[in-house]
Amino acid sequence: MAAVTRGSFSALRRLLSQQYRRRCFRLQNFRPVRNLQPLAFTCDRNLQMFSRRTLHSTAVSRGPIVQFKLSDIGEGIMEVTVKEWYVKEGDKVSQFDSICEVQSDKASVTITSRYDGVIRKLYYDVDATALVGKPLVDIETESGSEEIKGHKTQATPSVRRLAMENNIKLSEVVGTGKDGRILKEDILNFLAKQTGAILPPTPFQEIQTPGPGPAAAARPASTPAAVTPPPSTPRPVFTGKDVTEPLKGFHRAMVKTMTAALMIPHFGYCDDVDLSRLVGLRSELRSVAEGRGVKLSYMPFFIKAASLSLLHFPILNASVDEGCQNITYKASHNIGLAMDTSQGLLVPNVKNVQLLSVFEIAQELNRLQTLGSAGQLGTSDLTGGTFTLSNIGSIGGTYAKPVILPPEVAIGALGKIQVLPRFSTGGQVVPAHIMKVSWSADHRIIDGATMCRFSNLWREYLENPASMVLDLK
């Protein structure tokens, strides 16, 4: 009996223990609501620590703020005028990206970035004067960004602008020009490979040869002449006060150049040139050149004839020092063309004309005229000239008194082409295309006979353009 009682009691105790454990387990399942709060707090702390770590790592990835200084652009230029900003504060830039365009007294130059980073400060406004060696912008560089050293992308401002307008990095373009210079064709080819797009060439104005107009006497006397109203011109705006502003850029350069030119004793010589045969030749070749994408004017013939004549009179392709103690005979014929632009008088030059054909000269003139119209002529285009021609006739006028551009020793001014009556070899009066030419020479080293012989040879080449073929190389 006692054994049975002890066994029953042990079984009852085991049963009660199991029920107690089950109830305790169920009670624990009802308590997690309180335990969730510390868990949530722990997650918030972890999130805060993660955020702090993220911000810390972000701050570490930023580099120092570097003062991007205006570097020396050559030719002894100490200050420039900021013409246009391509970035603003907060913009992100990469290496070789265009930052701004500046204009010196010689040329317009596009300044490119040497860093990867963010623009934090612009030191100058548009039209302000920036000094060489002084800060231009502040760039917050990225971590690991290194300054470009020992590498310079060679491209003209117009090529850089074309690349910027089409979101092309110059570092990705392979230049086919001299010393790896990137040409406009390289940008167009790169763009065509990427998108298949083709950009049209920029048109330029060409001098048209006047044709012989109908005689005024052929009009019947009874028919009254049509009255042409005068062209409307904008009325001047009267501000009521005088405005004084400093001379900048090309205007300041003109003051220096013309002041030095007035110290040169000029010798003048004028002549007439019959271009009738050249007019016929150019009309035949014009369509051929246009088929190759080049506008052919009379200027390439004038320039090539000058180069052929300079081979016989090298003293006209020379330069003298300031004291006129030494004379240097130039091997290259870098013939300049005085060009009227919105920025003033510019004289870009065609390099090594003695090695170029008439067609190649026309190609280079097309390029220079396009850059001049856009105000994007570079320093290399405006320096190094040895002889100059001024096509004043494209605007009007016949004779002129051109001013020599030192250190050169001669210059020619070309008047407009007129259809005038002339006697033929048979004694008949015939219409002829006549152009006046005016020469100026440095009379300290060039006498009148030399200038006259040079002009006669130049005129012979133009009046008989077939004779140029004998001397072409």
Side-chain angles (χ1 to χ4, degrees), residues 352-366:
N352 298 315
V353 177
Q354 77 279 3
L355 303 178
L356 303 180
S357 65
V358 173
F359 180 78
E360 291 172 334
I361 297 173
Q363 283 182 311
E364 181 66 5
L365 286 179
N366 282 197

Side-chain angles (χ1 to χ4, degrees), residues 68 70 73 80-87 97-104 107-113 122 124-130 136-137 156-162 164-165 250 342-343 371-378:
F68 183 87
L70 180 61
I73 58 180
V80 295
T81 302
V82 179
K83 300 303 297 181
E84 182 179 1
W85 283 105
Y86 299 138
V87 296
D97 286 352
S98 298
I99 293 181
C100 66
E101 178 183 348
V102 299
Q103 177 181 299
S104 67
S108 296
V109 180
T110 300
I111 305 299
T112 57
S113 176
L122 305 180
Y124 301 98
D125 297 328
V126 175
D127 291 332
T129 300
L136 189 64
V137 296
T156 61
S158 62
V159 173
R160 294 181 183 274
R161 173 167 292 187
L162 178 61
M164 181 188 64
E165 291 174 351
F250 297 116
S342 58
Q343 298 174 315
L371 294 178
S373 300
Q376 296 296 321
L377 287 169

Side-chain angles (χ1 to χ4, degrees), residues 27-44:
L27 290 176
Q28 289 177 355
N29 290 340
F30 286 103
R31 289 182 180 181
V33 177
R34 294 183 181 180
N35 296 335
L36 287 177
Q37 293 179 357
L39 180 62
F41 176 76
T42 304
C43 294
D44 292 342

Side-chain angles (χ1 to χ4, degrees), residues 107-344:
S108 296
V109 180
T110 300
I111 305 299
T112 57
S113 176
R114 298 195 299 269
Y115 304 93
D116 296 333
V118 180
I119 301 296
R120 290 305 179 192
K121 181 179 179 180
L122 305 180
Y123 280 85
Y124 301 98
D125 297 328
V126 175
D127 291 332
T129 300
L131 302 178
V132 173
K134 298 298 182 180
L136 189 64
V137 296
D138 283 350
I139 301 179
E140 182 179 349
T141 59
E142 297 179 356
S143 178
S145 175
E146 297 181 357
E147 180 183 1
I148 304 172
K149 294 182 179 180
H151 183 277
K152 182 179 180 181
T153 302
Q154 299 186 30
T156 61
S158 62
V159 173
R160 294 181 183 274
R161 173 167 292 187
L162 178 61
M164 181 188 64
E165 291 174 351
N166 291 276
N167 297 321
I168 297 175
K169 291 186 177 180
L170 293 178
S171 57
E172 300 177 355
V173 182
V174 179
T176 60
K178 184 179 180 181
D179 298 329
R181 177 180 293 273
I182 298 177
L183 307 178
K184 180 180 179 181
E185 291 76 10
D186 299 330
I187 300 295
L188 296 179
N189 293 335
F190 182 86
L191 185 62
K193 292 179 181 179
Q194 297 296 324
T195 63
I198 299 178
L199 300 180
T202 304
F204 71 98
Q205 296 181 353
E206 181 183 2
I207 307 171
Q208 299 293 337
T209 305
R219 183 184 301 159
S222 60
T223 303
V227 179
T228 303
S232 59
T233 56
R235 294 177 177 269
V237 179
F238 179 69
T239 60
K241 61 179 181 179
D242 298 335
V243 177
T244 302
E245 59 183 17
L247 292 174
K248 299 180 180 179
F250 297 116
H251 295 286
R252 177 180 294 184
M254 182 181 292
V255 171
K256 296 179 182 178
T257 303
M258 293 298 101
T259 302
L262 291 178
M263 304 298 294
I264 301 174
H266 284 54
F267 168 80
Y269 178 81
C270 302
D271 201 358
D272 293 351
V273 183
D274 188 350
L275 300 178
S276 300
R277 293 183 181 179
L278 181 61
V279 170
L281 176 62
R282 184 247 183 181
S283 62
E284 295 177 5
L285 299 177
R286 183 176 180 181
S287 59
V288 178
E290 289 180 352
R292 301 182 185 180
V294 174
K295 298 289 186 179
L296 181 62
S297 63
Y298 295 102
M299 186 54 67
F301 298 96
F302 299 155
I303 293 177
K304 189 59 182 181
S307 177
L308 294 175
S309 303
L310 289 175
L311 293 174
H312 298 272
F313 300 93
I315 194 173
L316 294 175
N317 194 58
S319 64
V320 294
D321 54 14
E322 294 183 0
C324 200
Q325 300 298 318
N326 300 285
I327 181 172
T328 302
Y329 294 89
K330 301 293 186 178
S332 299
H333 295 173
N334 300 339
I335 299 182
L337 174 64
M339 186 179 299
D340 178 51
T341 68
S342 58
Q343 298 174 315

Side-chain angles (χ1 to χ4, degrees), residues 6-18:
R6 285 195 297 269
S8 300
F9 180 79
S10 299
L12 179 62
R13 185 174 59 184
R14 286 195 299 270
L15 178 62
L16 292 177
S17 299
Q18 292 175 0

